[in-house]
Amino acid sequence: MSKPSAPDHPILFIPGPTEVHPDVARAGARPMIGHRGPEIGELLRRTLARVAPVMGTSVSVFPLACSATGAMEGAVRNAAPGRFLHLVCGAFSERWASIRQACALDGDVLEVPWGQVHDPGEVRRALRAKRYHAVTLVHNETSTGVMNPLPELALAVKEQDDVLLLVDTVSSMAAVELRLDEWGVDVCFAGTQKAWGLPPGMTLCAVSPAALRRSAQAPGKGYYFDWVEHQKYLDKAQTPATPAISLLYQLEAALDRIESEGLPSRYARHRAMRDQVLTWAQGRFPPFAQEGFRSVTLTTLRGNGVDLGAVLSAVRKRGYVVGGGYGKTKGEVFRVGHMGEITPSLLREMLAVFDEELATLGGPRS
């Protein structure tokens, strides 16, 4: 039997960037508008009002023209001065600490082994043992495929007075339910190139009133990521610098798709795809992430002796791009992204090709 033909473009099953639907791609080709005229104000008002329910918030949401790392640095600079506690469980939670060090600020690291999540009790004890002014957390650690228990960790942080909670939801926002106001998250952000299903280049960042108050007192925070400055412009339905206008158009189109699917159905689809990959991997590729805390947007699996470079290359030639390991896990694991525009049927198609190439290379069979 001949192998099925490859798709018309390489389909991305990586942790990001992710697939962009044709309707969303076309929206980026709309005519340009001025960034100080009435049209941009209307665009910002109607778009950000629709973003807020996805984030579970009523606080200000800033559409930053940068990658999520920019929002991460902005959060650190605006939360200063004081001492930071970084909850580290992988490469991207380590980035919080690296940025804080680069900004010459004080802080400590509370680290767990890669593949594990943070225990709220341990966080609670750390916060009682020393005075901290801000805690940083990655909700969904893209390097390991673990999803930290955000509501429980937020509760532990909020038991302490005047401690800001800064959360990276880069690979979870728009794929899982977030209740930022209810949980007491002060700063939360995600790049558009993950579960939102947009091209890279814009980060949506929610900032609480408490974080704005801290920002007003923060020394040396710079200009581009000054939350107070962003709020001043947002109150006029503008941005301090030129926004990513084409991405705002594409965000509108993506929101049309999200609202058409419905948030509960969207969240259920992501959970189903996580379970689909875990079922496929059973008995062959052990999950890297801690049981009970496995991501719904990407699944990280141990290679179990397979030549991962060879199989991922073979699958890529068939038109499906699957992620390898990152940082410490490079060569040890592979990461299957299943977020945004990926569907169970597309995932099934890719896994079938993966199995075919495994068989050719003599890998473990289902």
Side-chain angles (χ1 to χ4, degrees), residues 62 74-81 133 162 164 166 186-187 207-232:
F62 303 140
V76 167
R77 288 184 173 276
N78 280 269
H133 293 80
D162 200 29
L164 295 182
L166 318 177
D186 292 293
V187 176
V207 178
S208 75
L212 283 169
R213 289 193 294 272
R214 181 74 62 83
S215 173
Q217 305 300 319
K221 61 185 172 181
Y223 176 82
Y224 193 75
F225 296 114
D226 180 352
W227 295 161
V228 173
E229 192 74 7
H230 276 272
Q231 184 62 57
K232 181 175 75 175

Side-chain angles (χ1 to χ4, degrees), residues 9 22 33 44 59 151-152 162 232 272 293 301 304 359:
H9 72 276
I33 57 175
L44 285 169
V59 305
E152 293 83 358
D162 200 29
K232 181 175 75 175
F293 299 94
L301 300 167
N304 203 18

Side-chain angles (χ1 to χ4, degrees), residues 13-18 142 171 193-194 297-298 322-324 335-337 339:
F13 291 88
I14 58 176
T18 61
T142 318
S171 56
Q193 78 279 13
K194 302 284 187 175
T297 57
L298 71 144
V322 178
R335 297 177 297 159
V336 181
M339 68 182 92

Side-chain angles (χ1 to χ4, degrees), residues 11-340:
I11 299 180
L12 300 179
F13 291 88
I14 58 176
T18 61
E19 288 294 298
V20 176
H21 189 273
D23 290 349
V24 176
R26 282 191 292 270
R30 289 173 57 184
M32 197 48 54
I33 57 175
H35 74 291
R36 291 291 180 240
E39 296 88 355
I40 190 65
E42 294 168 8
L43 178 61
L44 285 169
R45 286 190 189 94
R46 67 176 182 260
T47 303
L48 296 179
R50 297 169 70 189
V51 166
V54 180
M55 301 177 76
T57 190
S58 60
V59 305
S60 298
V61 177
F62 303 140
L64 307 175
C66 65
S67 71
T69 301
M72 188 179 275
E73 178 166 340
V76 167
R77 288 184 173 276
N78 280 269
R83 193 166 193 86
F84 290 78
L85 178 64
H86 305 290
L87 307 186
V88 172
C89 61
F92 295 96
S93 42
E94 282 180 348
R95 186 172 294 182
W96 276 114
S98 297
I99 288 172
R100 185 264 306 164
Q101 290 170 337
C103 293
L105 297 168
D106 295 327
D108 297 316
V109 168
L110 179 62
E111 187 167 7
V112 297
W114 283 38
Q116 302 295 303
V117 298
H118 287 281
D119 173 53
E122 289 294 326
V123 173
R124 193 171 276 112
R125 284 188 283 275
L127 290 171
R128 289 172 178 169
K130 188 183 287 188
R131 171 64 174 153
Y132 292 101
H133 293 80
V135 174
T136 70
L137 170 69
V138 170
H139 180 210
N140 196 71
E141 178 53 74
T142 318
S143 65
T144 66
V146 300
M147 183 170 284
N148 274 299
L150 177 54
E152 293 83 358
L153 290 167
L155 180 62
V157 172
K158 289 304 163 180
E159 288 175 359
Q160 305 300 313
D161 292 334
D162 200 29
V163 180
L164 295 182
L165 178 57
L166 318 177
V167 182
D168 164 342
T169 57
V170 168
S171 56
S172 58
M173 187 188 293
V176 300
E177 184 177 23
L178 296 176
R179 301 179 184 176
L180 303 183
D181 293 354
E182 180 182 328
W183 297 337
V185 175
D186 292 293
V187 176
C188 175
F189 54 83
T192 53
Q193 78 279 13
K194 302 284 187 175
W196 283 101
L198 275 68
M202 182 169 67
T203 296
L204 299 167
C205 183
V207 178
S208 75
L212 283 169
R213 289 193 294 272
R214 181 74 62 83
S215 173
Q217 305 300 319
K221 61 185 172 181
Y223 176 82
Y224 193 75
F225 296 114
D226 180 352
W227 295 161
V228 173
E229 192 74 7
H230 276 272
Q231 184 62 57
K232 181 175 75 175
Y233 277 85
L234 189 65
D235 288 342
K236 301 181 291 186
Q238 291 188 354
T239 53
T242 307
I245 295 171
S246 296
L247 284 165
L248 286 167
Y249 287 147
Q250 292 177 310
L251 179 59
E252 274 200 303
L255 284 161
D256 288 342
R257 293 185 54 74
I258 290 170
E259 291 166 4
S260 177
E261 182 178 16
L263 287 175
S265 296
R266 185 178 184 84
Y267 302 151
R269 173 168 59 86
H270 283 82
R271 291 193 301 271
M273 291 191 292
R274 184 265 316 276
D275 296 343
Q276 185 178 351
V277 176
L278 290 174
T279 298
W280 168 83
Q282 194 168 8
R284 299 187 294 164
F285 300 112
F288 184 78
Q290 182 178 338
E291 186 174 1
F293 299 94
R294 290 169 184 156
S295 169
V296 303
T297 57
L298 71 144
T299 299
T300 302
L301 300 167
R302 298 182 186 275
N304 203 18
V306 168
D307 184 343
L308 291 176
V311 70
L312 295 182
S313 177
V315 170
R316 177 187 285 265
K317 289 176 182 176
R318 300 280 299 277
Y320 304 91
V321 186
V322 178
Y326 188 93
K328 292 180 184 179
T329 64
K330 195 171 183 64
E332 179 187 352
V333 306
F334 62 102
R335 297 177 297 159
V336 181
H338 38 78
M339 68 182 92

